[in-house]
Amino acid sequence: MTVSLFILNGPNLDQLGTREPEVYGTATLDEIMAEVVTYGADRGVTIDHAQSSLEGEMVDHIHRAGRGEAQGIVLNAGAYSHYSYAIRDAVAGAAVPVVETHLSNLAAREEFRHTSVIAPVCLGVVAGFGADSYRIAVDALLHHLGGAS
Ligand code: DQA
């Protein structure tokens, strides 16, 4: 069975490359996604991805992927992670596992980033490994789905 995963990136992540490079690095989102898509393809995994800065649009993406269009979701909801109950509810209702993912180590940053309202309804959380966080999240999902590389 071919595994297909969906990666959803939230607000401001389209600014990677120039946005606070000391925190997030210098790679653009396109570069990071191209790398993770190749990583998946090398393992026979199809990875689709999208970015939106709009909360409702992100909810729609999670509904679509979460009802089985993908077998797992990697979600970097950006700042919405800290307060969006709408995204939390969409994740809670998804029929597939979701891995919350962040480039930065939230525990080492400002207090408001220490809380994720999404984490309790996720399979797990990956944070702090820069662009590698996405690959680690993909690996976590593959292990969970039993198709580990
Ligand atoms: C982030 C962390 C969030 O706190 C922040 O709002 C982001 C990026 C990360 O990937 O480290 O936009 O999700």
Side-chain angles (χ1 to χ4, degrees), residues 11-49:
N12 298 309
L13 291 160
D14 55 334
Q15 302 301 304
L16 291 175
T18 52
R19 173 194 183 198
E20 298 180 84
E22 66 288 357
V23 178
Y24 299 115
T26 53
T28 65
L29 186 61
D30 282 350
E31 288 166 349
I32 294 170
M33 289 301 107
E35 197 257 353
V36 75
V37 166
T38 301
Y39 183 77
D42 288 347
R43 286 153 185 78
V45 177
T46 303
I47 298 178
D48 191 16
H49 60 91

Side-chain angles (χ1 to χ4, degrees), residues 3-7 36 39-40 43 45 47 71-75 96-102 122-127 129 132-149:
V3 175
S4 65
L5 303 178
F6 182 62
I7 302 180
V36 75
Y39 183 77
R43 286 153 185 78
V45 177
I47 298 178
Q71 283 139 285
I73 300 172
V74 172
L75 173 63
V96 302
V98 178
V99 174
E100 177 175 340
T101 304
H102 299 280
C122 285
L123 177 65
V125 179
V126 177
F129 300 97
D132 286 343
S133 290
Y134 291 94
R135 263 198 290 121
I136 294 165
V138 165
D139 280 342
L141 278 170
L142 293 182
H143 277 273
H144 179 76
L145 296 168
S149 50

Side-chain angles (χ1 to χ4, degrees), residues 81-113:
S81 314
H82 312 305
Y83 65 91
S84 173
Y85 296 118
I87 292 177
R88 176 197 165 112
D89 283 352
V91 170
V96 302
V98 178
V99 174
E100 177 175 340
T101 304
H102 299 280
L103 296 126
S104 62
N105 177 1
L106 302 180
R109 300 187 63 197
E110 304 95 316
E111 189 81 31
F112 76 90
R113 297 186 205 275

